[in-house]
Amino acid sequence: PPIPLSLVGWDEIEALFPEPGSIVDKARYSISKGVGTVIVTLGDQGCVLVTEKTHTLFPAGQARVIDDTGAGDAFISCLASSLLENRTLEEAARIANLAAGFSVAHEGAIPSLISRQQLKSLLA
């Protein structure tokens, strides 16, 4: 059965598919091999959600980067949490992007994770 969702960083997708081409092209190649949807995190550029027919860029906010340790953990935990709350994949990716942006503006992995209350404030 197909893998419903794959989350990779831009450096990982470049390592998997070193041939020339855009991130979207490389994600679509994964989709052609059985992955349903791909989210590529792009560091300070945000993330891109790629399906077989469309792609959506979620730009990163204007965070002052202090420490990027834990940003990926913040992204994936917030993405999973948002999906468990029955949000759409697009909403979940946008919210996860906010959580990662919050994370890089704080030092350390655990202290940089956003709380539910802080996230609600950012979303308001």
Side-chain angles (χ1 to χ4, degrees):
I3 300 165
L5 176 65
S6 178
L7 174 68
V8 295
W10 68 267
D11 53 339
E12 295 159 332
I13 204 161
E14 289 291 339
L16 287 169
F17 308 108
E19 303 81 20
S22 72
I23 295 293
V24 171
D25 291 338
K26 293 173 186 207
R28 287 222 172 99
Y29 180 76
S30 286
I31 291 168
S32 77
K33 296 300 180 187
V35 175
T37 301
V38 177
I39 297 176
V40 183
T41 57
L42 304 170
D44 64 359
Q45 300 298 306
C47 70
V48 62
L49 171 66
V50 184
T51 67
E52 188 175 4
K53 297 182 187 210
T54 66
H55 69 277
T56 306
L57 176 65
F58 297 92
Q62 299 295 338
R64 187 171 139 238
V65 178
I66 293 173
D67 182 2
D68 66 359
T69 305
D73 296 326
F75 186 96
I76 192 64
S77 62
C78 194
L79 181 76
S81 176
S82 295
L83 291 172
L84 287 170
E85 293 173 346
N86 293 317
R87 294 182 186 268
T88 67
L89 190 52
E90 291 80 8
E91 289 175 306
R94 182 180 64 81
I95 293 168
N97 215 28
L98 286 173
F102 179 91
S103 174
V104 299
H106 298 83
E107 192 168 336
I110 304 241
S112 71
L113 294 176
I114 194 166
S115 72
R116 187 171 293 278
Q117 191 59 38
Q118 290 166 318
L119 186 59
K120 283 181 182 178
S121 293
L122 275 179
L123 292 171

